[in-house]
Amino acid sequence: MAEEFGQGTKCVQGGYRPGNGEPRQVPIVQSTTFKYETSEAMGRLFDLEDSGYFYTRLQNPTNDAVAAKIAELEGGTAAMLTSSGQAANFFALFNICENGSHIVASSSIYGGTFNLIAVTMAKMGITATFVEPDCSEEELNAAFQENTRAVFGETIANPALTVLDIEKFAKAAHAHGVPLIVDNTFPTPVNCQPIKWGADIVTHSTTKYMDGHGAGVGGAIVDSGNFDWMANAEKYPGLCQPDDSYHGIVYAEKFGKEGAFITKATSQLMRDFGSIQSPQNAFLLNLGLESLHVRMARHVENGQAMAEYLSKHPKIERVSYPGLESDPFYPLAQKYLPKGGCGVVSFEIKGGRAAAEAFMKELKIAAIETHVADARTCCLNPATSTHRQMTDEQLAAAGIPAGLVRLSCGLEDAADLIADVERALEAVS
Ligand SMILES: *Cc1c(COP(=O)(O)O)cnc(C)c1O
């Protein structure tokens, strides 16, 4: 869809353009395989000489239509869907890293991604240096090594709600000849387009706001088409040297800056690891995308109202929400998220773990869930759930006080959400 259309129009109509008499809604192509008249025609697909479908583990028309919409929303040249956000971040990194590579990553990222980089990828011989998201340019540059192949961060971190200075991270990455990968799950391209600020690759857990209804786990990777792999060919042999598993194709030569990254991730990683999103889930994801721009505005409105209410409450020690003027990340939010960030607010209740438990037990609208970014408001106390194996001292050291509650404001009426929280706080002694 042409660049001049707004994000709302792209949310509704991007990616899929039916011809005369074709279905108005993206069809679910519920087929594992595709039929050909000659072996020669299929052979051309295997050689990547023609584009087309042959097996849904690699590509499926439903997924491609939805991926194309996400590419348009992010302002990228190519995109792919994956089975989860975890698969998206793994593929984005592993597409350009191998045994002996090194990653520079913000320390303020989703726990699953931290584990992926710090533990699981370390077992593959890929090491990492973590930097604070608000580190100085000197500290950031000092984290690079001769074998660094990627820089990684989250636009708004889950759950810390820090805001990434995308331009600063992109500048450092490019000065060292490597791309910046940004996980844009929380703001979505409705509230921030990291590519406009210099990010090269954008990833998503579509499980969150993009789906928005808690219906399907999924992920996406978008390529900006801006990073010049060939100019840094010695760093990226997988893109710039012949691929033996594809008759010596050189991806960066054959598909250019615009197509090499996603073609390689599809034809190698999806082929070998097989983490495709099911076409059924891609269809549900597309329904979510059709209202993303309308929903994000309401999530932000509810998150902002909740953060302001909580910041004045005597039983609340501290509120993190980059839309609050008192928040240390407010200036970066003003720059990168002028329409607001997301509906997730985190706050610390006075009285620690017991107070948080008592508070959450009293909530009637907000449900206790290991989830965020849903139409229905939900909450979590890390100390008694995801981080329950840690002592209060360990929690404090990790920046997760025992009384911390992560509240994901849904699409309900703000007045009802605030009344629910008010009543529950009254029950806390
Ligand atoms: C949830 C999440 C992930 C992981 O996504 P899944 O779809 O659960 O695999 C990655 N990054 C961020 C920022 C997330 O919030």
Side-chain angles (χ1 to χ4, degrees):
M1 180 160 277
E3 189 51 41
E4 72 263 20
F5 287 110
Q7 292 296 73
T9 305
K10 289 179 189 168
C11 280
V12 181
Q13 297 215 15
Y16 174 63
R17 288 161 208 83
N20 193 37
E22 289 179 0
R24 187 70 188 99
Q25 179 55 284
V26 175
I28 305 172
V29 180
Q30 192 65 51
S31 182
T32 58
T33 191
F34 300 83
K35 182 204 134 167
Y36 287 91
E37 301 289 342
T38 65
S39 305
E40 195 204 338
M42 180 171 279
R44 279 201 298 274
L45 298 179
F46 272 93
D47 286 351
L48 304 182
E49 286 302 330
D50 285 346
S51 62
Y53 300 96
F54 49 96
Y55 193 56
T56 285
R57 168 156 38 83
L58 284 100
Q59 273 182 304
N60 173 283
T62 310
N63 292 28
D64 278 2
V66 181
K69 176 179 282 189
I70 296 173
E72 287 168 12
L73 283 165
E74 288 288 6
T77 53
M80 68 196 285
L81 299 187
T82 58
S83 56
S84 67
Q86 285 301 111
N89 282 326
F90 174 59
F91 278 23
L93 289 164
F94 198 63
N95 207 29
I96 47 174
C97 293
E98 58 186 29
N99 190 336
S101 300
H102 172 258
I103 296 164
V104 173
S106 163
S107 58
S108 189
I109 53 175
Y110 178 65
T113 313
F114 183 83
N115 230 34
L116 169 69
I117 295 175
V119 182
T120 301
M121 292 186 78
K123 291 179 188 162
M124 302 170 158
I126 299 165
T127 54
T129 300
F130 291 93
V131 293
E132 296 290 325
D134 51 359
C135 65
S136 68
E137 285 195 40
E138 292 70 41
E139 287 167 318
L140 181 53
N141 284 317
F144 284 80
Q145 303 178 1
E146 148 286 309
N147 57 339
T148 302
R149 296 292 175 265
V151 179
F152 183 90
E154 292 177 8
T155 316
I156 303 177
N158 175 15
L161 302 179
T162 54
V163 178
L164 190 75
D165 190 341
I166 303 172
E167 279 191 319
K168 180 177 83 182
F169 275 72
K171 189 176 152 206
H174 298 158
H176 291 87
V178 305
L180 171 64
I181 303 174
V182 173
D183 182 330
N184 196 35
T185 296
F186 266 21
T188 84
V190 167
N191 284 340
C192 181
Q193 291 171 294
I195 290 172
K196 292 216 165 128
W197 299 102
D200 301 286
I201 309 289
V202 173
T203 60
H204 281 278
S205 166
T206 63
T207 315
K208 311 294 165 53
Y209 288 114
M210 281 191 167
D211 170 282
H213 300 79
V217 172
I221 308 172
V222 182
D223 182 11
S224 67
N226 291 333
F227 194 81
D228 193 345
W229 307 106
M230 272 302 185
N232 299 282
E234 75 294 347
K235 289 195 171 82
Y236 302 105
L239 283 156
C240 303
Q241 284 176 20
D243 177 2
D244 292 338
S245 68
Y246 261 112
H247 319 301
I249 270 183
V250 179
Y251 293 100
E253 240 168 47
K254 189 163 174 68
F255 301 100
K257 283 196 302 184
E258 294 75 20
F261 189 89
I262 294 295
T263 305
K264 176 179 179 286
T266 303
S267 58
Q268 275 183 355
L269 302 187
M270 203 51 102
R271 179 194 64 190
D272 297 349
F273 292 104
S275 310
I276 195 86
Q277 188 166 138
S278 83
Q280 286 274 352
N281 278 6
F283 175 83
L284 291 172
L285 168 58
N286 189 52
L287 288 185
L289 290 170
E290 287 180 4
S291 63
L292 183 65
H293 54 305
V294 182
R295 291 185 291 106
M296 284 314 288
R298 180 64 170 257
H299 281 297
V300 165
E301 194 184 309
N302 285 355
Q304 185 74 32
M306 182 63 74
E308 282 170 17
Y309 167 78
L310 288 168
S311 67
K312 295 185 198 100
H313 200 288
K315 290 184 182 173
I316 302 299
E317 183 72 43
R318 187 176 62 97
V319 181
S320 291
Y321 189 73
L324 283 182
E325 262 178 73
S326 56
D327 192 279
F329 289 90
Y330 181 76
L332 286 175
Q334 291 294 104
K335 174 175 175 178
Y336 293 109
L337 306 157
K339 289 189 282 185
C342 63
V344 182
V345 182
S346 68
F347 55 96
E348 188 186 345
I349 300 188
K350 291 179 183 165
R353 195 183 301 244
E357 267 183 299
F359 163 75
M360 286 172 45
K361 190 160 59 82
E362 294 298 323
L363 291 168
K364 291 195 168 65
I365 297 176
I368 301 171
E369 287 172 30
T370 310
H371 190 41
V372 285
D374 189 338
R376 289 148 293 227
T377 295
C378 54
C379 63
L380 188 80
N381 170 229
T384 51
S385 58
T386 49
H387 295 67
R388 69 177 291 128
Q389 73 283 1
M390 292 165 83
T391 63
D392 284 8
E393 291 71 37
Q394 287 173 325
L395 285 168
I400 306 165
L404 190 83
V405 175
R406 182 183 70 185
L407 180 71
S408 170
C409 295
L411 300 176
E412 302 91 342
D413 292 315
D416 289 341
L417 294 181
I418 289 172
D420 195 30
V421 165
E422 184 155 40
R423 196 171 32 211
L425 281 173
E426 274 163 24
V428 180
S429 51

